[in-house]
Amino acid sequence: MTRASAPALSVLDTSSVWQGASTAQALRDSLELAVAVDQLGYTRYWVAEHHNTANVASSAPAVLIGRLAAATATLRVGSGGVMLPNHAPLVVAEQFGTLEAFHPGRIDLGVGRAPGTDPATAAALRRAPEAGPEFFAQQVDELRRYFDEPGETDGGNRTLAVPALGNRPAMWLLGSSSSSARLAGEWGLPFAFAHHFNPSGAADALEVYRRSFRPSRESDRPYTIVAASVIGADTDERAEWLSLPLKQVTLNLFSGNRATPNLGPDQVAELRWPPAARQFVAERLASSLIGGPETLRRRAAGLLEETGADELMALTPVHDPKERVRSYELLAEVLSS
């Protein structure tokens, strides 16, 4: 699919916790990055919900979103996403209605179905045990209704999410499969696809979404984000070096290791991986956008052409805060020229 114009650019952040640094530092790094990309003209900044994961500090998206929105001027700030079966929809509506009241027109409520953690922690969160597709659909429907003003059909007995009334954030569905894409289309919600988690399924899922889209009060036309791992630097060699922590995170994620903070590139370079691990990581990251300016331009343009996405959201786990900002600068430069 050929693009007619440059895409919007956005950020996905997990508030990475690095070996030897504190969780407080990770959250301050996120705040500084949000301010920087706001000045670069990025469209939105989303934070992910993960729990019991030593390298992720973004466990309380609503709290973090409020701080990020207060520190920025034009950036849309939101959740990428709230894992809805972990929460009561009423509470989510109250939280995000409050955020929208303080920052009107700048709050995104992205919701997903995955637990974002291990089974024991999901139980500690009181995650709904029946969190299948049908239950999730009921939760989304309940959440949407909390933002509606009471009507005659409510019979006067409806529970109100008071801060949500008149304060409706933009609502998104997140996913990494064609089934979630179809739901987003049928519900008339904008859709964000996790390419960094399932790179081979992005193009098909977004096409399913467009075919199944039905206009709604949230959106009158299909709109898509593709979220990808992006690491740019002034040379291909430097970008590959900066991507070493991403490679370690990828291996940890799929081996179930949640107990280790992110290692810096120097530390990862000292590790000795077996050939099977090297091959696994290489295959998982083959579609990531890693490289110097020309490589970054080619890979980003290729992904956008393949998927037809309206917006590219970059997840950039780079150890040095200055080099992480530089990666976002380069991405903006190569896609605007």
Side-chain angles (χ1 to χ4, degrees), residues 82 84 87-98 109 111 143 147:
V82 166
L84 195 52
H87 308 280
L90 173 63
V91 175
V92 175
E94 290 171 336
Q95 290 173 341
F96 279 79
T98 300
L109 171 52
V111 298
L143 177 62
F147 292 100

Side-chain angles (χ1 to χ4, degrees), residues 27-314:
L27 295 170
R28 287 194 293 269
D29 288 345
S30 289
L31 184 61
E32 292 174 4
L33 179 62
V35 171
V37 298
D38 190 28
Q39 295 171 349
L40 289 171
Y42 272 65
T43 299
R44 70 189 84 238
Y45 192 110
W46 283 3
V47 295
E49 177 187 341
H50 292 273
H51 302 279
N52 194 35
T53 303
N55 66 341
V56 174
S58 59
S59 300
V63 178
L64 184 52
I65 288 165
R67 183 68 182 93
L68 298 174
T72 53
T74 62
L75 201 63
R76 296 193 64 94
V77 188
S79 55
V82 166
M83 300 296 102
L84 195 52
N86 294 346
H87 308 280
L90 173 63
V91 175
V92 175
E94 290 171 336
Q95 290 173 341
F96 279 79
T98 300
L99 289 168
E100 177 68 17
F102 276 121
H103 309 284
R106 293 183 55 213
I107 301 300
D108 291 334
L109 171 52
V111 298
R113 186 165 66 91
T117 192
D118 58 276
T121 307
L125 288 164
R126 308 298 190 266
R127 179 178 171 86
E130 69 276 33
E134 183 176 345
F135 178 76
F136 179 61
Q138 293 171 357
Q139 281 197 304
V140 171
D141 182 62
E142 179 183 349
L143 177 62
R144 294 169 86 179
R145 284 189 283 108
Y146 282 126
F147 292 100
D148 293 333
E149 295 289 345
E152 295 181 0
T153 59
D154 297 317
N157 297 316
R158 183 180 134 191
T159 298
L160 300 180
V162 175
L165 300 178
N167 297 304
R168 178 184 292 269
M171 192 168 176
W172 292 72
L173 188 67
L174 282 58
S176 59
S177 68
S178 292
S179 60
S180 57
R182 183 174 294 106
L183 282 178
E186 292 173 352
W187 293 340
L189 294 175
F191 180 60
F193 184 87
H195 174 274
H196 59 291
F197 189 80
N198 179 21
S200 64
D204 288 345
L206 295 189
E207 184 56 34
V208 167
Y209 166 72
R210 295 184 190 99
R211 289 201 308 267
S212 60
F213 185 83
R214 302 170 185 168
S216 70
R217 67 173 301 167
E218 282 89 0
S219 184
D220 61 0
R221 66 179 183 86
Y223 190 92
T224 57
I225 288 176
V226 59
S229 296
V230 179
I231 296 178
D234 292 325
T235 66
D236 285 351
E237 294 75 17
R238 187 61 183 172
E240 288 295 334
W241 173 259
L242 294 175
S243 75
L244 289 178
L246 173 61
K247 295 177 180 179
Q248 183 65 34
V249 168
T250 301
L251 185 60
N252 288 346
L253 178 64
F254 288 93
S255 64
N257 178 5
R258 295 177 175 271
T260 307
N262 287 350
L263 301 177
D266 291 324
Q267 295 166 308
V268 177
E270 294 177 355
L271 300 178
R272 295 294 177 262
W273 290 1
R278 291 182 179 276
Q279 180 177 356
F280 171 81
V281 171
E283 290 174 354
R284 291 296 308 181
L285 297 182
S287 299
S288 298
L289 314 183
I290 300 171
E294 289 307 314
T295 302
L296 190 62
R297 184 199 316 274
R298 183 177 70 253
R299 291 183 176 177
L303 175 61
L304 290 165
E305 182 173 0
E306 176 189 5
T307 61
D310 300 286
E311 190 169 325
L312 174 60
M313 179 170 278

